Amino acid sequence: MVAIMTHMHTASGHPAPPARRPVRQLLAASVGNAVEWYDWYAYTFLATYIADQVFPKGADNSLVPLLSTFAVFAVGFFMRPVGGLLMGAIADRRGRRAALTATILLMGGSSLLVGLTPTYAAAGLLAPIVLVLARLLQGLSVGGEFAASTTFLVESAGPGRRGLFSSFQYVSTTAGQLLASGIAALLVDTLSEKAMNGWGWRVPFVLGAVLSLVGFWIRQGAQETRSEEQRQAPRPGLFEALRRHPRESLRIAGITAGGTIAYYTWTSYLPTYAELNAGVEKSQALLAGTLSLAFFALLQPLGGLLSDRFGRRPLLLFFGVGFALLCVPLLHALRDSFAVLLLVSCAGMVLLTGFTSISAAVNAEVFPPRVRAAGIGFPYSLTVALFGGTAPYVGTLFKETGHSGLFPWYVAVLCLASSVVYLRLPETAHTELRR
């Protein structure tokens, strides 16, 4: 941490006060980000219970309710580009902290709405309508969160530390996921099936609303990273990043496509995939997911430090080529075994770290500071919506249509496509961040 403080600078270019500022900045971004993603992922881990309660039941053993639940999951993702654009514009025009404050409050309200969603038996079609509304609001918040927190984290770092600071984006994201997975596993193991279907699945969402208030309080102490020069400059237009930097926007999409499909497959959908395709028990699948997520979080700072020393491109290629070659054999190796599922999960996490630990730094290094948050937010969130948000739905749809073996190939092809983009990226690890 001493090294971090030594290299820390203010957004205006003057040395930052050495006492506590880096720690405070990391905490402000990380705690709020963890709360945001806890709320987002609680929905995924409890998808089967939501399907039973909120959507009408089809024929016996039908996957239609689960497909409907994952379709709503995907709908939330398609609000993320809107959130990335709007909240990114707020971050570029009003400051990073203003955007971060708005996103955490919005997420808390939408999480509470999920927790209070009525059942289909009690309210009919109103139940899925309320759920869709809640997920739209969550999508708006999460899209804005990534745009603002990515910019905030990387701008808080000093020379030679952007990769390390970047890694905390997914340390905190994984912490939120880990908390959601752990609470879901605890509830499944301790409550009866009747209690889980009745009220147990609502508990994590109500808790998420409470945690969002904690995140809001912590973020009040954050220091703004937008430079004085940027504050005095004319405010950028809503679509200025897209209009003036189309090539950079396409580059963000290419960087993200493979990473997002691999990320959501391994960190969110894998427990459900193992249940549907390998017969793994629900409680064991959630436990394996929880353990592998803890392992994943520990890897992130190591990936960030390696990128600061050896560059971003080697890590990105390690991820992209590795996943293209190994995704299919790893997913095909799954069977009704906790040990095998845990091994497959952890192997994927090692490869995935090559992308997740540095994606915030890579994205921030693409755009100039004037439109950095909005420039990152829209193309990134749109790509995530197209490929990451639809991963559970596409995987379940392949299973429903009798072609479950095609899903691993789908992931591998996207990772290979992103690897081509990584090969053409300029190396920016050892250059100054434009401010």
Side-chain angles (χ1 to χ4, degrees):
M1 188 58 68
V2 172
I4 297 176
M5 292 182 181
T6 302
H7 288 87
M8 188 66 191
H9 288 70
T10 64
S12 61
H14 301 300
R20 298 180 305 179
R21 183 171 183 259
V23 178
R24 188 166 65 246
Q25 295 293 91
L26 285 174
L27 184 62
S30 300
V31 172
N33 196 44
V35 174
E36 290 267 3
W37 289 98
Y38 161 82
D39 288 337
W40 184 257
Y41 282 112
Y43 183 95
T44 307
F45 292 124
L46 296 166
T48 54
Y49 295 102
I50 296 172
D52 287 339
Q53 296 301 307
V54 178
F55 293 95
K57 293 179 174 59
D60 291 343
N61 300 319
S62 171
L63 290 177
V64 171
L66 184 58
L67 279 172
S68 299
T69 307
F70 282 140
V72 175
F73 182 74
V75 164
F77 271 87
F78 279 94
M79 281 299 289
R80 288 179 60 169
V82 179
L85 186 63
L86 294 179
M87 295 297 176
I90 290 174
D92 289 332
R93 300 177 70 174
R94 300 279 185 179
R96 319 311 189 201
R97 192 173 68 173
L100 290 173
T101 299
T103 58
I104 195 70
L105 291 177
L106 189 58
M107 177 58 75
S110 57
S111 181
L112 183 61
L113 190 58
V114 174
L116 299 178
T117 298
T119 64
Y120 186 84
L125 289 176
L126 180 62
I129 290 173
V130 171
L131 184 64
V132 168
L133 176 61
R135 290 299 293 180
L136 290 175
L137 293 175
Q138 283 185 327
L140 188 71
S141 174
V142 170
E145 172 68 20
F146 184 88
S149 65
T150 292
T151 306
F152 179 83
L153 268 175
V154 176
E155 289 178 348
S156 295
R161 290 293 180 268
R162 293 197 303 270
L164 176 61
F165 270 58
S166 169
S167 70
F168 281 88
Q169 179 81 34
Y170 278 91
V171 169
S172 56
T173 296
T174 305
Q177 243 181 304
L178 190 60
L179 183 61
S181 177
I183 290 177
L186 179 64
L187 289 170
V188 170
D189 283 341
T190 57
L191 296 180
S192 66
E193 190 72 12
K194 181 179 180 181
M196 276 301 301
N197 281 309
W199 57 269
W201 67 270
R202 301 178 185 275
V203 172
F205 300 105
V206 176
L207 178 61
V210 175
L211 291 175
S212 70
L213 296 178
V214 177
F216 171 76
W217 175 72
I218 291 175
R219 283 186 165 175
Q220 296 309 294
Q223 294 180 359
E224 181 57 57
T225 62
R226 193 172 53 141
S227 69
E228 185 62 32
E229 180 182 352
Q230 292 303 317
R231 296 180 200 184
Q232 300 299 326
R235 293 178 178 178
L238 185 62
F239 296 100
E240 185 171 325
L242 289 172
R243 189 176 66 252
R244 294 194 176 184
H245 304 279
R247 187 174 181 179
E248 287 83 354
S249 297
L250 289 174
R251 182 175 293 171
I252 293 288
I255 291 168
T256 305
T260 189
I261 184 68
Y263 177 77
Y264 283 101
T265 297
W266 239 257
T267 65
S268 300
Y269 181 55
L270 194 59
T272 303
Y273 183 89
E275 287 179 52
L276 295 176
N277 295 280
V280 180
E281 291 183 8
K282 185 181 300 181
S283 59
Q284 287 194 335
L286 286 172
L287 178 59
T290 302
L291 293 175
S292 62
L293 281 171
F295 173 66
F296 181 61
L298 294 175
L299 292 175
Q300 300 310 297
L302 176 61
L305 286 169
L306 287 173
S307 80
D308 283 333
R309 179 160 188 180
F310 300 108
R312 317 289 189 224
R313 193 163 47 193
L315 266 75
L316 290 172
L317 288 171
F318 169 75
F319 153 71
V321 176
F323 244 99
L325 294 175
L326 297 176
C327 176
V328 174
L330 283 173
L331 290 182
H332 282 174
L334 288 173
R335 60 178 184 268
D336 188 6
S337 166
F338 172 80
V340 171
L341 175 58
L342 182 60
L343 184 61
V344 168
S345 298
C346 290
M349 297 303 191
V350 172
L351 294 171
L352 191 56
T353 296
F355 170 78
T356 54
S357 63
I358 58 173
S359 65
V362 173
N363 289 332
E365 289 161 353
V366 169
F367 278 95
R370 173 179 165 79
V371 292
R372 181 170 287 144
I376 295 170
F378 183 77
Y380 173 87
S381 295
L382 181 60
T383 308
V384 171
L386 289 172
F387 299 109
T390 58
Y393 183 84
V394 171
T396 307
L397 185 61
F398 276 136
K399 174 66 175 177
E400 176 78 349
T401 57
H403 299 95
S404 57
L406 293 178
F407 181 70
W409 288 102
Y410 171 65
V411 178
V413 168
L414 285 174
C415 290
L416 183 61
S418 282
S419 296
V420 176
V421 178
Y422 303 152
L423 276 172
R424 299 175 61 85
L425 282 178
E427 183 56 70
T428 55
H430 305 121
T431 59
E432 289 292 324
L433 182 71
R434 291 174 289 175
R435 295 185 181 274

